[in-house]
Amino acid sequence: GADIVSGGELYRALRAGVLPASIVYAGIGKTAPEIAKALEVGVLMFNVESAEELEQIERVAAAMGKKAQVALRVNPDVDPITHPYIATGLREAKFGIPIDRALDEYRRARGLAHIEPVGVHTHIGSQIIDVGPYAEAVQKMGDLVGALRQEGFRIDYFNMGGGFGIPYQDEDVPVPADYASRVGEVLKGLGCTVIWEIGRMIVGNAGVLLTRVLYRKSAPEKQFIIVDAAMNDLIRPSLYGSYHEIRPVSQGIRDTVKADVVGPICESGDFLARDREMPLLEQGELAAVMSAGAYGFSMSSNYNSRPRAAEVLVKGDQWFVVRQREDYEDLVKGEEIPRGLF
């Protein structure tokens, strides 16, 4: 299945062979054309984030003569204990409907002719490494399901979102069985189909970013290792202060150094590591930036007119280029100078 947040992700999911009935459409900013396409192909349901979005889905579905299955994304006001940028379930977050307004919004949904509420949804954050916040959120949402059923709502789906953390450094990270042991009894009692979004757990530690050392230099207060990868290739360290281990590809005993690992981008925030105690890297050698399989390439850009890297799939002793390296012509694809402008 797939959890999507845009028309482009719907297109990708369908191209990858995901059945429409196994697609859930989330996200706070769905456009009318995106809603129409999702209704046309028959996605399982929409996770609705606001009253106005609910009305928009109603208008589009009415115009198409269809009925849209929905779950309301409910904000349970649970602190996920993660970076503020990826905490999504707090009262002040832009996501979801406050839990104290959820019943009223479900009643509104039931009054719309082309809307069918079939589930509940919540997502409290990403890179969560404590089961406690999940248990609290599941309990709150379980209580909501009970209240909805008392009012006659058919609630078939319990979408608990995602956010399972992975070890980027030396974190003691729960495994799925740990979550199940804490929330299983509540979920079992609800009799719903449970939907989880665990993409990072699947792919995060399956990918690395390979980079080559260009130069090393010393400043009065700093040692710098300058590499050919940058924040346009992996923005997580600059955006979130995220830790990614950096290893020399050629293993062996070597000296260590405390250094910033930085890229060629003309921003002081362009770094892959800061004040990192790490193996000393030599000019020209390859280094592996670990745990880059999630939120790596998908968040990359062409900033500073830098072509994006190739993607290579490795299976055992075989390797396959699954996305070609961009070249300079790709950087200007689709651009043109209007005739008569100069």
Side-chain angles (χ1 to χ4, degrees):
D3 172 78
I4 64 168
V5 295
S6 70
E9 288 192 347
L10 174 60
Y11 176 81
R12 280 182 172 273
L14 295 173
R15 281 289 299 269
V18 179
L19 297 176
S22 296
I23 296 174
V24 175
Y25 201 147
I28 69 168
K30 308 173 188 73
T31 66
E34 288 174 328
I35 293 167
K37 185 61 179 179
L39 285 169
E40 177 189 322
V41 301
V43 299
L44 175 63
M45 63 183 178
F46 295 90
N47 288 337
V48 178
E49 306 238 11
S50 67
E52 290 191 359
E53 181 194 329
L54 192 62
E55 293 163 0
Q56 176 79 302
I57 295 173
E58 164 72 12
R59 286 192 292 270
V60 175
M64 298 176 66
K66 292 183 176 290
K67 199 155 191 171
Q69 293 194 149
V70 305
L72 300 191
R73 177 170 178 171
V74 176
N75 183 333
D77 197 29
V78 170
D79 185 354
I81 316 173
T82 190
H83 191 283
Y85 286 9
I86 49 178
T88 58
L90 295 170
R91 184 176 296 275
E92 63 268 25
K94 72 176 183 177
F95 303 98
I97 296 163
I99 195 164
D100 55 7
R101 284 177 28 207
L103 275 173
D104 287 340
E105 293 301 331
Y106 270 95
R107 292 168 187 145
R108 180 204 296 264
R110 183 163 57 183
L112 298 173
H114 297 272
I115 297 291
E116 183 178 9
V118 295
V120 296
H121 172 52
T122 191
H123 188 299
I124 61 173
S126 294
Q127 187 51 20
I128 300 169
I129 58 174
D130 184 349
V131 179
Y134 270 105
E136 182 183 352
V138 166
Q139 187 61 61
K140 286 187 173 184
M141 294 300 293
D143 292 342
L144 174 61
V145 171
L148 289 168
R149 285 180 172 160
Q150 284 185 350
E151 296 201 14
F153 285 90
R154 178 191 123 214
I155 303 298
D156 295 331
Y157 300 100
F158 190 111
N159 186 334
M160 190 47 214
F164 288 7
I166 64 171
Y168 283 96
Q169 191 172 1
D170 54 5
E171 302 95 332
D172 183 15
V173 174
V175 296
D178 297 321
Y179 294 96
S181 67
R182 288 288 297 275
V183 304
E185 287 304 313
V186 173
L187 294 175
K188 190 188 302 181
L190 298 176
C192 294
T193 296
V194 180
I195 299 171
W196 296 88
E197 305 149 20
I198 54 173
R200 187 199 305 262
M201 181 170 280
I202 295 170
V203 302
N205 280 321
V208 300
L209 170 64
L210 284 182
T211 185
R212 190 176 297 279
V213 178
L214 298 175
Y215 310 105
R216 300 174 303 174
K217 75 172 187 176
S218 299
E221 304 296 331
K222 285 275 190 181
Q223 298 286 323
F224 294 97
I225 299 173
I226 302 164
V227 298
D228 67 356
M231 64 185 292
N232 75 294
D233 300 301
L234 183 66
I235 199 171
R236 296 187 74 254
S238 297
L239 186 62
Y240 304 133
S242 300
Y243 181 98
H244 288 263
E245 185 181 357
I246 300 175
R247 301 178 183 175
V249 168
S250 177
Q251 298 296 301
I253 298 172
R254 58 177 73 206
D255 293 335
T256 61
V257 65
K258 187 175 184 179
D260 286 9
V261 180
V262 300
I265 294 287
C266 56
E267 301 278 354
S268 296
D270 175 29
F271 61 89
L272 299 176
R274 272 186 168 164
D275 294 322
R276 179 76 58 83
E277 197 79 36
M278 58 182 292
L280 179 62
L281 296 170
E282 301 292 338
Q283 184 180 18
E285 77 168 314
L286 289 172
V289 185
M290 308 301 290
S291 308
Y295 306 102
F297 194 97
S298 63
M299 294 178 74
S300 65
S301 75
N302 293 123
Y303 185 44
N304 276 184
S305 287
R306 287 170 50 83
R308 286 185 293 178
E311 287 188 292
V312 178
L313 176 69
V314 178
K315 181 181 180 182
D317 61 357
Q318 298 177 291
W319 58 271
F320 311 88
V321 177
V322 294
R323 183 177 180 125
Q324 296 292 328
R325 186 181 307 278
E326 291 181 344
D327 59 27
Y328 291 147
E329 288 188 3
D330 291 319
L331 298 176
V332 295
K333 183 179 179 181
E335 297 179 9
E336 61 180 59
I337 299 173
R339 292 183 179 180
L341 183 62
F342 300 106

